[in-house]
Amino acid sequence: MNRDEAPDARNRILDAATQLFALRGFDATRVTEIADAAGVTKALIYYYFSSKADILDCLIRELVDKLTSIATDFVHESIVQMIKKGYLDIKPDRLSFVNEDAKDHFLRSLRVCCERVLDHAIAHRATLRILLLESLKGSSKHHNILLKIHESTRDNSEGSLYKAIVDADKDFTYSDDLRVFNIFFGYVPIVSFASYYDNYKKISNLTDQELRESFLNSLWIIINSMVSGSELLLRTKNIGG
Amino acid sequence: MNRDEAPDARNRILDAATQLFALRGFDATRVTEIADAAGVTKALIYYYFSSKADILDCLIRELVDKLTSIATDFVHESIVQMIKKGYLDIKPDRLSFVNEDAKDHFLRSLRVCCERVLDHAIAHRATLRILLLESLKGSSKHHNILLKIHESTRDNSEGSLYKAIVDADKDFTYSDDLRVFNIFFGYVPIVSFASYYDNYKKISNLTDQELRESFLNSLWIIINSMVSGSELLLRTKNIGG
Amino acid sequence: MNRDEAPDARNRILDAATQLFALRGFDATRVTEIADAAGVTKALIYYYFSSKADILDCLIRELVDKLTSIATDFVHESIVQMIKKGYLDIKPDRLSFVNEDAKDHFLRSLRVCCERVLDHAIAHRATLRILLLESLKGSSKHHNILLKIHESTRDNSEGSLYKAIVDADKDFTYSDDLRVFNIFFGYVPIVSFASYYDNYKKISNLTDQELRESFLNSLWIIINSMVSGSELLLRTKNIGG
Amino acid sequence: MNRDEAPDARNRILDAATQLFALRGFDATRVTEIADAAGVTKALIYYYFSSKADILDCLIRELVDKLTSIATDFVHESIVQMIKKGYLDIKPDRLSFVNEDAKDHFLRSLRVCCERVLDHAIAHRATLRILLLESLKGSSKHHNILLKIHESTRDNSEGSLYKAIVDADKDFTYSDDLRVFNIFFGYVPIVSFASYYDNYKKISNLTDQELRESFLNSLWIIINSMVSGSELLLRTKNIGG
DNA sequence: AATGAATGAGTTTTCATTCAT
DNA sequence: CATGAATGAAAACTCATTCAT
């Protein structure tokens, strides 16, 4: 069901649940608390949702849909365009650009994209926090976002992100190292930053603007590393020591 | 109370609680489940602990103590030694090494340290997962590890880590950017990797060895970035764009 | 909440609790017992009351409200009327009547009042027993009826009983002796008689009628003593010897 | 077992139990609390006593023994002596004294006795409070002091108080009214006064001396009433109205 | 005489969920 | 749509008591 066409009470329930699940976690949140916070009766919650878990499912589904569409946009608008235009070539052992202009162009569009992703993450930080909390629990299979992300790098089915990249560049393949890097130094910091946003803001005494800049600076260093270090990551070989 | 001198049953309770809290989360874990898993009666749990929350507190305290000692060891053994020996100088705008040898030495000892930290993290991944879960909850103040970490970069009191570095190098100071980087691209990925270790291993079909190597590769890229990018981070200025 | 407008089940819970608290005492009464006696589920008890103690509070509040209104009625209808009509004058050292008729009138109205109070006490003997039991416990401040009674002899605020008497007779004042007498030979015997009513009836093999008469006879002797002995009590001086 | 020859720990347990039972009531007092207050372990309590109820029984037994001996002393020393000496004659409808001297003598010895009883009561107020609390509970048959008192006015067996009086004065008999008066305006106020002693002292801001005097004044009025009003009480007839 | 460890059987309380209206 | 009343099942926690040492 779409938020726009849904009854007001139903949306108030979802909003209240979002705040409470994010604050206390799903298990520690009582249906009564949601009802109170939403200004409705408990019974009405069961009119709109079949169970407490159903509210959570609904929230997660909304978020995943939104994230998927953002990711899809990014891949199609940036990477695929770059590859198709011939600026970028993902070789087995490195990202390869036709020239410095292409590289600059890529980095610039990546930067814009990162900012957009970060802003989205901050805007939906409560739901992301819920997702993070739930994904840490061993029980609930259907909230395993880790699995979803991982599969997105293998999923060859029509319309998938991976397929989109592979269609653009036949040689592209994810190395195990790249996956680890992507997840634990890409997704995880962004989701964590969003999840801890309010806490960290309070602790650090930074303004929204300063916090955003600060994180983007860090993220940028990582992205540069990834572009420069891509050679290493794509090769899946031990380095350093 | 120390584990070594504590009654066996008490330790079995703590172990059982660790596994269950990590798997289902604190709120979804029943005291009965802990009792069954530990092979004791519910009443005995209340003989040793005043409440379910008390078990959690105990676990977190143990972990924080251990982490603190590891961090202390690291700072004293590596960074402080390097500074004192004159190999390293943390300048306002960059890490500065006397020569390439010093830099190599520093990186090598950093690498060893990272491996040790990672191995510790993996070994205590269940408790780290609990810590991560609890630190995401807005309610409990005393589990706010984010705050602890943040304060460790400001705490000037005798015996603190920060004091140890500052004593060794008078000019050293944390920039806001460096803090953000440290936390969200340092601590967070390591803790998250440990927390998701079992899940990710299952999903990726990698061996323990492969997984460890893979993460260390990524971590290494970050650490190199930090060393090279230190100039940027320490300056606290906007970059890229 | 008023009994009349309250749901039937809620009143059944209060009635059941009254009987059980009076019989076994608050602490020895199990919520399950109340539920069974009231013919409701345990959970419903917690729907209407926040805790077992809340049921007790509710009961005590109801009783105190009722007692207060009875006492108020008595003072206004009897004592104040007598004083205003000029029949009675409470002097510093004795009750003073204009003539024998006034004294007879006062005693008669006092007798009627005593009977009414006694009948009320017997009717609410279960709750009085609870009150007596609870007032004997050192812990709960809010059940300290002794304090309430004592303060009612000092409370000069608008609408208080004491104020009503003082307004009618400017010279009136409670002596310490009068307070002790009132409490331990007035309130206490009546409340105790009501509390032990069923026990004593069984033991003595008297009918309700006989028991009532018997107690009223005794009470009458006391009241006569008080009227004749008022001189002594109001003077606060040692006697006998 | 006698206190003097009992181990110190056992007496400490009894003392602690006395204070706690008096403060919170038997049911609300935990064995652990007694152990803590007595400075012994729970297990030791079960070494000396077979159960929590056993501690109570022990306390009550001690008190009842003491009270019985006091009452016996009183009856033998005062009433029986008076009757035997021919000063007092308890007639069916009144107390009868040979002359004013006999009456004065009786009153004086009664006064002394009252003081002694009151002082005993105050000294053992904690145990009396327990007795009062327990006697109000419908359950425990063996703590029914009301029954014991009542029976003491009928008990014709060798060594009983009643027998002592009857032996001295063949015509003596308790009327129902006298029993009610004795209990509810004699025993009950004294026991209640002792039970509420500390509470009332705090509330009234009186010194021990003042409080004692005040209560004795009131008691004296009652006793005088009883002696003068004995005619009415012994006749068991309706009065007043 | 003394105790730390252990427990069975309860106790109060909670909570997601249902249902008649 | 909306709700007050109601509940079964289970949760956390308690407590008198026992026992091996």
Side-chain angles (χ1 to χ4, degrees), chain C residues 194-213:
Chain C
S195 298
Y196 286 115
Y197 190 84
D198 297 310
N199 295 27
Y200 194 80
K201 193 182 155 192
K202 204 172 170 188
I203 288 169
S204 67
N205 271 319
L206 297 176
T207 63
D208 289 291
Q209 183 61 23
E210 288 165 345
L211 209 47
R212 184 177 178 278
E213 287 302 322

Side-chain angles (χ1 to χ4, degrees), chain A residues 23 135 138 177 196 213-214 217 225, chain B residues 23 135 138 177 196 214 225 238:
Chain A
L23 194 65
S135 73
D177 280 16
Y196 285 116
E213 288 302 322
S214 218
N217 285 349
S225 318
Chain B
L23 193 65
S135 73
D177 281 16
Y196 286 116
S214 217
S225 319
N238 203 346

Side-chain angles (χ1 to χ4, degrees), chain D residues 5 59 70 74 88 166 235:
Chain D
E5 65 205 21
L59 251 24
I70 293 173
F74 167 57
L88 170 67
V166 168
R235 260 200 282 140

